[in-house]
């Protein structure tokens, strides 16, 4: 089924595997394209489901931890929290590939309500049964930092049978929109526009804002999820406690996130160790990789692509 579709699609060099395929304006690996078809044909959203959507390397791991800890704050003690044992990636399913981990298709009925799901798919690729019914939390990031993070991540996962992908080539590809789930700007714009039209359905967050003011952003997130912190919880410091639990400093030092056996199964062949989801966790690491000229070019692309949208991105100094 998927093979028949793939032969009809334009393809380009990929960052992890050999090729990505252009499907409805976005570059997808064959694995996630299969996932997308299954989601359209077999996934039944519930109105209480909450989605976490993001382009790759824009904050999924962090948001998974925050959303899971917030939604389940009455079930678990922070001192003995499942996040400390499993790491954030296992907190809830990454739908794009999890949908086909069980044969013939994964059933998610056992998940507690609200069911939480993560996806990297662009807004326009998701079935309307999801986008018209479920709440979506979207997190975006300075494209320069997303690019650097993605290059590190996918270089590690890149098939050993392929030549390594030099950073400058990845930069060119990224600027041209060609990378897994890209183009970056179309991805961000799709969710941005949808969030402007339906702010009650889509919460649009920025990694940089979360770094600067995590408690304010977490309160926004909890309220959007329909689980606002009470005055009593705020007084007790619950917001700060969750921020601390989910911080890069705390999570990245845990055994399970340092190669201690924790990992995320994406496909039968691709299993990624938890430690790969924690690198630096900083804003502005791009400065160590991009020349002034490269920075100006990518910032100009962002300005042009986002012109008139009211969204500004990637202007971190
Ligand atoms: P994914 O797309 O593969 O799921 P994602 O979690 O979105 O990855 O992005 C990983 C980035 O978030 C890494 O950024 P870096 O490469 O620039 O360092 C990772 O370090 C960072 N990250 C992971 N956990 C946290 C956290 N708790 N707080 C802040 N940043 C984090």
């Amino acid at each position: 089924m998927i093979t028949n579709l793939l032969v009809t699609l334009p393809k380009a060099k990929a960052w992890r595997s050999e090729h990505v395929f252009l499907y409805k304006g976005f570059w997808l690996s064959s694995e996630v394209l299969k996932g997308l078809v299954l989601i359209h044909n077999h996934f039944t959203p519930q109105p209480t489901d909450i989605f976490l959507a993001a382009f790759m390397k824009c904050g999924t791991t962090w948001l998974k931890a925050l959303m899971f800890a917030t939604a389940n704050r009455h079930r678990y003690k922070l001192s003995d929290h499942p996040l400390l044992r499993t790491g954030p990636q296992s907190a809830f399913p990454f739908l794009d590939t999890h949908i086909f981990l069980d044969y013939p298709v994964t059933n998610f009925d056992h998940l507690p309500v609200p069911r939480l799901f993560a996806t990297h798919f662009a807004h326009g690729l998701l079935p309307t049964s999801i986008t018209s019914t479920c709440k979506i939390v979207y997190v975006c990031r300075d494209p320069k930092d997303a690019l650097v993070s993605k290059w590190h991540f996918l270089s590690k996962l890149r098939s050993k049978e392929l030549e390594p992908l030099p950073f400058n080539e990845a930069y060119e590809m990224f600027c041209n929109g060609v990378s897994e789930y890209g183009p970056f700007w179309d991805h961000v714009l799709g969710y941005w526009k949808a969030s402007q039209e339906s702010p009650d359905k889509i919460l649009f967050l920025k990694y940089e804002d979360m770094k600067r003011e995590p408690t304010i952003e977490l309160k926004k997130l909890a309220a959007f999820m329909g689980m606002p912190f009470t005055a009593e919880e705020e007084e007790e410091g619950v917001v700060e406690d969750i921020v601390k639990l989910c911080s890069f400093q705390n999570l990245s030092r845990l055994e399970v996130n340092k190669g201690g056996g924790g990992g995320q199964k994406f496909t039968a062949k691709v299993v990624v160790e938890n430690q790969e989801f924690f690198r630096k966790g900083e804003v502005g690491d791009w400065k160590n990789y991009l020349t002034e000229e490269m920075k100006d070019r990518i910032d100009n692309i962002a300005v042009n692509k986002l012109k008139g949208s009211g969204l500004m991105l990637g202007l971190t100094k």
Side-chain angles (χ1 to χ4, degrees):
M1 170 184 73
I2 238 335
T3 334
N4 292 345
L5 174 62
L6 289 180
V7 292
T8 67
L9 302 176
K11 61 182 179 185
K13 181 171 173 176
W15 296 32
R16 181 183 64 80
S17 53
E18 194 171 9
H19 291 121
V20 275
F21 300 84
L22 186 63
Y23 183 72
K24 300 189 176 173
F26 290 90
W27 293 102
L28 303 176
S29 68
S30 57
E31 290 98 340
V32 302
L33 191 53
K34 174 179 158 191
L36 185 63
V37 171
L38 289 175
I39 291 169
H40 276 263
N41 293 342
H42 298 283
F43 181 76
T44 311
Q46 296 172 5
T48 44
D49 290 347
I50 305 177
F51 274 76
L52 162 62
F55 188 79
M56 285 184 72
K57 315 321 286 181
C58 288
T60 295
T61 308
W62 192 7
L63 260 299
K64 266 192 165 183
L66 289 169
M67 288 171 69
F68 179 81
T70 301
N72 294 292
R73 64 187 188 268
H74 304 300
R75 296 176 64 192
Y76 304 119
K77 276 202 249 146
L78 292 178
S79 56
D80 182 33
H81 203 277
L83 280 175
L84 302 173
R85 291 187 297 273
T86 63
Q89 284 294 335
S90 313
F92 55 88
F94 175 60
L95 189 60
D96 308 10
T97 53
H98 212 123
I99 186 87
F100 57 70
L101 284 187
D102 297 338
Y103 183 80
V105 66
T106 308
N107 183 319
F108 297 105
D109 291 346
H110 64 283
L111 292 179
V113 176
R115 302 187 309 176
L116 304 175
F117 296 100
T119 181
H120 286 330
F121 285 125
H123 188 263
L125 292 183
L126 291 174
T128 46
S129 58
I130 293 178
T131 51
S132 64
T133 315
C134 309
K135 286 187 178 177
I136 302 177
V137 176
Y138 186 74
V139 59
C140 75
R141 190 180 190 187
D142 182 334
K144 301 188 289 299
D145 282 335
L147 153 70
V148 169
S149 182
K150 184 170 183 171
W151 177 71
H152 276 286
F153 182 73
L154 292 186
S155 292
K156 285 206 175 155
L157 300 189
R158 191 165 164 84
S159 162
K160 299 290 166 269
E161 286 145 32
L162 301 170
E163 292 279 304
L165 181 69
F167 179 74
N168 283 5
E169 193 179 340
Y171 170 86
E172 277 305 318
M173 292 163 82
F174 192 91
C175 286
N176 293 328
V178 185
S179 72
E180 284 80 351
Y181 291 100
F184 175 89
W185 297 275
D186 302 45
H187 199 283
V188 174
L189 263 181
Y191 281 99
W192 171 252
K193 286 183 183 157
S195 75
Q196 298 293 99
E197 282 160 21
S198 317
D200 53 322
K201 277 267 177 278
I202 301 191
L203 177 69
F204 194 95
L205 299 173
K206 292 183 181 171
Y207 184 95
E208 294 76 18
D209 294 344
M210 293 177 47
K211 273 292 207 186
R212 205 172 40 245
E213 297 183 313
T215 52
I216 292 181
E217 297 301 303
L218 178 56
K219 283 196 247 175
K220 245 196 249 176
L221 174 70
F224 174 79
M225 291 172 75
M227 306 160 177
F229 293 105
T230 61
E232 203 181 3
E233 283 181 308
E234 290 200 22
E235 259 165 47
E236 284 169 3
V238 175
V239 185
E240 285 77 9
D241 285 347
I242 293 181
V243 165
K244 215 170 180 186
L245 170 75
C246 302
S247 69
F248 183 89
Q249 286 71 9
N250 187 44
L251 293 177
S252 61
R253 72 174 173 85
L254 299 173
E255 211 41 48
V256 70
N257 295 327
K258 287 200 304 189
Q264 174 80 353
K265 188 173 180 187
F266 286 100
T267 69
K269 284 193 213 139
V270 182
V271 179
V272 183
E273 293 284 323
N274 281 349
Q275 62 191 6
E276 306 302 350
F277 297 99
F278 299 90
R279 196 180 60 93
K280 287 194 174 173
E282 290 169 4
V283 171
D285 187 41
W286 60 264
K287 286 181 213 136
N288 298 314
Y289 296 84
L290 270 65
T291 63
E292 267 305 295
E293 200 183 313
M294 289 163 96
K295 168 208 178 278
D296 288 345
R297 180 171 159 215
I298 200 167
D299 279 351
N300 283 334
I301 296 174
V303 168
N304 283 328
K305 294 270 185 190
L306 305 178
K307 205 183 317 181
S309 70
L311 175 65
M312 293 226 291
L313 274 188
L315 300 174
T316 45
K317 292 285 166 247

